[in-house]
């Protein structure tokens, strides 16, 4: 009787789940999960990036005025027109000089900020956030602040107010370029906007440098400061420096917002993208020539980037250094 009761009260043992049992639901297929999460991004990339690029290349070989629909095949006439356009060629030369200045200036400033933040022993997160915050500001908003508050041509502007303390007359920062003070306005706003982002890249690279290298250098007699920076820190930052310079070169040739807002009515100091904007969306609305100019600018960026990458050793293995 007791045996029967114990058998009735005891619950049956749970069945073992087979390890070979197929999974169901979202975990059933890794390929399905991959396309589920990346599919919308890839679709948007194709529709909003690859298709416009392909259509722009196709449109550059046709006559297309006041419409994005090609009307007549012209071959390389649009390229001949854009390469012989004085304003476009001047913009390329001007902004090659601009890139030669803004790239090393931003590189040095972002690296300096990263080294300062990396040396802090307290409030490191606070200063890292403060220097990074300008990255979230719109280029348009920053340009208007620089134009209307800091470098206003009247005596109420901050820059002219400070100069007035030393007896210096007001400067028309964005007037006729003689001398070209507008470069100071554009360079400072771009430095303020983008240095924080590249500071984060350098800061991450600095924190990955083994401390043993500095300790070994100290044992060998290397002095802290310039010697350790030149022979340890800078070589260890070679890959990051190459990537930063590549990004800065591309960003320099793609400059548009600050120039369009600061020099909207000027006929001088305009970047290639502003010239192409006026050509494609100006009075003539020549989309064919504008597309040809965009292709030329893209090829120029690729050539400059590859040349710079060749010099800096971008993509080389560790064994080739």
């Amino acid at each position: 009787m007791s045996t029967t009761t114990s058998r009735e009260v005891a619950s049956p043992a749970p069945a073992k789940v087979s390890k070979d049992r197929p999974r169901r639901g979202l975990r059933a297929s890794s390929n399905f999960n991959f396309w589920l999460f990346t599919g919308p991004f890839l679709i948007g990339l194709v529709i909003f990036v690859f298709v416009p690029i392909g259509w722009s290349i196709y449109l550059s070989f046709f006559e297309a005025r006041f419409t994005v629909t090609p009307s007549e095949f012209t071959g390389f006439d649009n390229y001949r027109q854009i390469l012989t356009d004085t304003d476009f060629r001047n913009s390329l030369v001007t902004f090659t000089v601009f890139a030669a200045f803004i790239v090393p200036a931003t590189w040095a400033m972002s690296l300096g900020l990263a080294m300062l933040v990396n040396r802090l022993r307290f409030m490191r997160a606070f200063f890292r956030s403060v220097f990074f915050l300008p990255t979230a500001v719109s280029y348009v908003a920053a340009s208007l602040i620089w134009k209307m508050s800091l470098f206003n041509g009247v005596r109420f502007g901050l820059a002219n107010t400070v100069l007035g303390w030393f007896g210096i007359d007001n400067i028309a920062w964005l007037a006729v370029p003689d001398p070209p003070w507008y470069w100071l306005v554009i360079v400072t706003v771009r430095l303020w906007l983008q240095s924080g982002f590249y500071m984060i890249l350098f800061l991450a690279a600095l924190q990955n440098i083994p401390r043993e290298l500095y300790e070994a250098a100290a044992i060998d007699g290397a002095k802290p400061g310039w010697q350790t920076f030149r022979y340890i820190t800078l070589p260890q930052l070679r890959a990051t420096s190459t990537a930063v310079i590549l990004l800065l070169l591309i960003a320099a040739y793609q400059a548009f917002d600050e120039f369009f807002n600061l020099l909207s009515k000027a006929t001088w100091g305009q970047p290639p993208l502003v010239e192409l904007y006026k050509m494609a969306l100006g009075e003539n609305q020549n989309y064919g020539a504008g597309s040809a100019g965009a292709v030329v600018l893209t090829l120029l960026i690729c050539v400059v980037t590859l040349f710079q990458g060749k010099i800096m050793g971008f993509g080389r293995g560790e064994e080739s250094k």
Side-chain angles (χ1 to χ4, degrees), residues 9-77:
V9 174
S11 59
K16 294 183 178 180
V17 180
S18 175
K19 296 182 179 180
D20 299 332
R21 182 179 180 181
R23 293 182 297 180
R24 300 179 181 277
L26 293 177
R27 300 178 59 188
S29 173
S30 59
N31 292 332
F32 174 77
N33 294 335
F34 172 79
W35 290 110
L36 177 65
F37 288 101
T38 62
F41 171 77
L42 292 177
I43 293 173
L45 188 66
V46 170
I47 294 176
F48 297 106
V49 177
F50 293 151
V51 171
I53 290 176
W55 186 254
S56 180
I57 296 174
Y58 176 75
L59 201 63
S60 65
F61 295 99
F62 288 85
E63 178 73 19
R65 292 180 181 271
F66 302 99
T67 178
V68 293
T69 303
S71 57
E72 180 184 356
F73 180 77
T74 59
F76 290 95
D77 289 345

Side-chain angles (χ1 to χ4, degrees), residues 37 42 68 89 105 132 149 161 206 212 235 249 272 281 284 293 300 309:
F37 288 101
L42 292 177
V68 293
R89 287 187 301 176
F132 182 75
S149 300
T161 300
L206 286 172
E212 292 80 5
L249 279 172
L281 299 176
N284 296 326
L300 177 62

Side-chain angles (χ1 to χ4, degrees), residues 6 52 86 99 110 141 147 155 192 209 212 225 232 277 280 293 300-301:
S6 62
T86 305
S110 57
K147 181 179 181 179
R155 63 186 180 87
W192 183 73
I209 299 177
E212 292 80 5
I232 297 179
Y277 176 83
L300 177 62
I301 293 174

Side-chain angles (χ1 to χ4, degrees), residues 231-250:
Y231 295 106
I232 297 179
T233 304
L234 200 58
Q236 292 294 318
L237 296 177
R238 179 175 181 176
T240 304
S241 296
T242 303
V244 167
I245 293 175
L246 288 175
L247 294 174
L248 287 172
L249 279 172
I250 296 173

Side-chain angles (χ1 to χ4, degrees), residues 271-295:
L273 285 184
V274 174
E275 294 294 340
L276 295 178
Y277 176 83
K278 293 179 179 179
M279 182 176 297
L281 299 176
E283 295 180 357
N284 296 326
Q285 292 190 10
N286 193 342
Y287 292 100
S291 299
V295 174

Side-chain angles (χ1 to χ4, degrees), residues 34-255:
F34 172 79
W35 290 110
L36 177 65
F37 288 101
T38 62
F41 171 77
L42 292 177
I43 293 173
L45 188 66
V46 170
I47 294 176
F48 297 106
V49 177
F50 293 151
V51 171
I53 290 176
W55 186 254
S56 180
I57 296 174
Y58 176 75
L59 201 63
S60 65
F61 295 99
F62 288 85
E63 178 73 19
R65 292 180 181 271
F66 302 99
T67 178
V68 293
T69 303
S71 57
E72 180 184 356
F73 180 77
T74 59
F76 290 95
D77 289 345
N78 288 326
Y79 291 92
R80 191 178 300 108
Q81 175 184 348
I82 197 68
L83 291 176
T84 56
D85 186 84
T86 305
D87 293 334
F88 183 74
R89 287 187 301 176
N90 290 340
S91 68
L92 291 178
V93 174
T94 301
F95 276 82
T96 300
V97 178
F98 169 68
F101 176 78
I102 193 65
V103 170
T106 307
W107 178 87
M109 185 172 182
S110 57
L111 178 58
L113 291 176
M115 296 185 66
L116 288 175
V117 174
N118 190 49
R119 288 178 174 272
L120 292 177
R121 294 294 178 263
F122 61 95
M123 299 182 67
R124 178 183 297 181
F126 170 76
F127 287 102
R128 183 175 58 212
S129 301
V130 168
F131 291 134
F132 182 75
L133 275 178
T135 307
V137 179
S138 169
Y139 273 69
V140 177
S143 301
L144 294 178
I145 293 173
W146 249 245
K147 181 179 181 179
M148 302 174 65
S149 300
L150 300 182
F151 291 94
N152 198 317
V154 298
R155 63 186 180 87
F156 300 105
L158 180 60
N160 282 336
T161 300
V162 175
L163 293 177
W165 296 343
F166 300 94
I168 302 176
D169 295 334
N170 294 339
I171 296 177
W173 301 98
L174 300 174
V176 178
D178 188 21
W181 292 112
Y182 67 93
W183 281 116
L184 179 63
V185 184
I186 293 172
V187 167
T188 52
V189 67
R190 179 160 277 252
L191 282 174
W192 183 73
L193 284 168
Q194 65 183 10
S195 295
F197 172 77
Y198 298 106
M199 179 205 68
I200 296 297
L201 300 183
F202 278 122
L203 187 60
L206 286 172
Q207 293 176 352
N208 286 331
I209 299 177
R211 302 302 304 175
E212 292 80 5
L213 294 178
Y214 294 100
E215 295 174 358
I219 294 175
D220 291 338
K223 297 179 180 179
W226 171 248
Q227 287 187 344
T228 56
F229 173 77
R230 179 181 178 182
Y231 295 106
I232 297 179
T233 304
L234 200 58
Q236 292 294 318
L237 296 177
R238 179 175 181 176
T240 304
S241 296
T242 303
V244 167
I245 293 175
L246 288 175
L247 294 174
L248 287 172
L249 279 172
I250 296 173
Y253 279 97
Q254 291 180 338

